[in-house]
Amino acid sequence: MQLLDGKLLSAQIKGEIAAEVAQIKAEGGKIPHLVAILVGNAGRSETYVASKMKSCEEVGMHSTLIRFEDDVTEEELLAKVQAVNENPDMDGLIVQLPLPPHVNPDRVMEAIAPAKDVDGFHPINIGRMAKGLPAYVSATPQGILEMLKRYQIETSGKHCVVVGRSQIVGLPMSILMQRNDYPGNCTVTLTHSKTQNLAEICRSADILIAALGRPGFIKADMVKEGAVVIDVGLEKVADPTKKSGFALRGDVDFEAVAPKAGYITPVPGGVGLMTICSLMQNTVKAARREVYAD
């Protein structure tokens, strides 16, 4: 078993981004600027956004955090999104999910200008990605592709099973893994909560990507010997042995599955760190106008 070390890879990628930002600065170019909008003070969202802002600082990028209380109206939020869209100094915009129940997340995501949608959630970016056109690819799927590429994992002709059909991870992942490219050229099975014989399908996977948000769901008897196992899950579970009283767990029962896997991602220290790197890479592309010209 080989660990797919997101911590190691993210350090390498951040170094590459920092060098690119330094070159932009030396050439008198515009420093990439990421804007994050955070609504409320949910612990997990706070942590995610803080990591993104800190990573921007580490690579020399500019970042701005805009905060609202839980009672912000949808119209107020949309007005702020539009203000960022119209600000030429701000290259990338993310709105941290989830949003309060009274705010329609689809309406907010669709309000973000596609050229600033560095999370890759806008329907235009999703559609362009599906057609193989230049687009901002959703950060987590893009991070997984980068991980497969840097570990030189063969994907052509392999059977890839994706567990979970979310628009953020599962759906785009299934599209990306079947495209005529590397990583790609897989035969892909997209599974979900209504899939019958799920364990049997998972056991047929050469590459198994778990993105369903259920800690420890993927057991050893669901994994083929030597499979590549990518764990997208990240949930808090009670753990009295920890000072905090909880531990972070993925969708894969790591201790049981790792001995069978050829490659496996840890949680934490795996896909999550690659997601942040992808977000910064997309922001640099936005600043350089590589996907959408002015």
Side-chain angles (χ1 to χ4, degrees), residues 2 14 21 50 92 116 118 141 156 174-175 179 184-185 188 191 205 210 232 245 248-249 263 278 288:
Q2 183 171 354
K14 282 182 180 179
V21 172
K116 297 193 177 189
V118 290
S156 182
S174 68
I175 294 170
R179 65 183 179 167
N185 281 312
V188 179
T191 67
V232 182
L248 295 174
R249 293 284 183 266
Y263 296 86
S278 297
R288 288 188 178 277

Side-chain angles (χ1 to χ4, degrees), residues 59-79:
V59 301
M61 287 169 46
H62 294 158
S63 64
T64 297
L65 174 58
I66 300 170
R67 305 187 66 123
F68 289 99
E69 296 299 324
D70 280 323
D71 60 356
V72 64
T73 68
E74 187 173 291
E75 295 308 319
E76 287 173 323
L77 198 53
L78 290 170

